[in-house]
């Protein structure tokens, strides 16, 4: 990650989700443009992973330009949605 402002915005959005969304809302933190090696990594990857863990979210490093992590992220999102629907159907 190369932008503390984005991390600050993420903190704001995570708080909004916590306050306004269903408690079982699926959360995924995506660090986009991980291929951008020209920018120095200001926010260490470990900090992003730690933050995602703190808010009970999955964490992915992606690059649409270089097709890095995109499929894996969407596969995980679909898996989490399917599992959520299964659990929900079991309750109903």
């Amino acid at each position: 990650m190369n932008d503390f402002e984005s991390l600050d915005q993420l903190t704001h959005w995570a708080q909004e989700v916590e306050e306004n969304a269903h408690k079982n809302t699926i959360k995924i933190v995506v660090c986009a443009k991980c291929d951008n090696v020209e920018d120095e990594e200001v926010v260490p990857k470990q900090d992003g992973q730690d933050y995602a863990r703190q808010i009970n979210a999955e964490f992915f490093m992606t690059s649409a330009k270089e097709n890095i992590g995109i499929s894996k992220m969407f596969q995980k999102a679909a898996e989490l949605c399917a599992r959520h629907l299964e659990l929900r159907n079991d309750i109903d």
Side-chain angles (χ1 to χ4, degrees):
M1 280 186 251
N2 56 15
D3 189 346
F4 274 108
E5 184 177 336
S6 294
L7 186 59
D8 288 341
Q9 290 174 355
L10 177 61
T11 302
H12 167 75
W13 282 110
Q15 185 176 15
E16 288 289 321
V17 169
E18 184 67 30
E19 292 173 2
N20 299 300
H22 189 274
K23 70 176 183 168
N24 293 326
T25 297
I26 297 167
K27 295 174 278 206
I28 300 174
V29 173
V30 180
C31 177
K33 300 182 182 179
C34 72
D35 62 310
N36 196 355
V37 294
E38 294 173 7
D39 290 338
E40 186 178 327
E41 185 180 74
V42 177
V43 181
K45 177 182 175 182
Q46 187 63 50
D47 288 0
Q49 291 172 322
D50 291 345
Y51 183 73
R53 211 173 356 266
Q54 177 185 338
I55 64 169
N56 197 28
E58 297 289 328
F59 179 82
F60 292 93
M61 300 283 289
T62 65
S63 167
K65 181 180 176 183
E66 298 294 328
N67 194 26
I68 298 170
I70 302 295
S71 293
K72 185 176 179 181
M73 180 207 42
F74 279 108
Q75 287 172 342
K76 185 64 174 184
E79 175 187 309
L80 291 169
C81 288
R83 188 178 319 145
H84 178 75
L85 289 173
E86 286 175 14
L87 291 173
R88 189 170 168 202
N89 287 336
D90 288 345
I91 294 171
D92 292 340

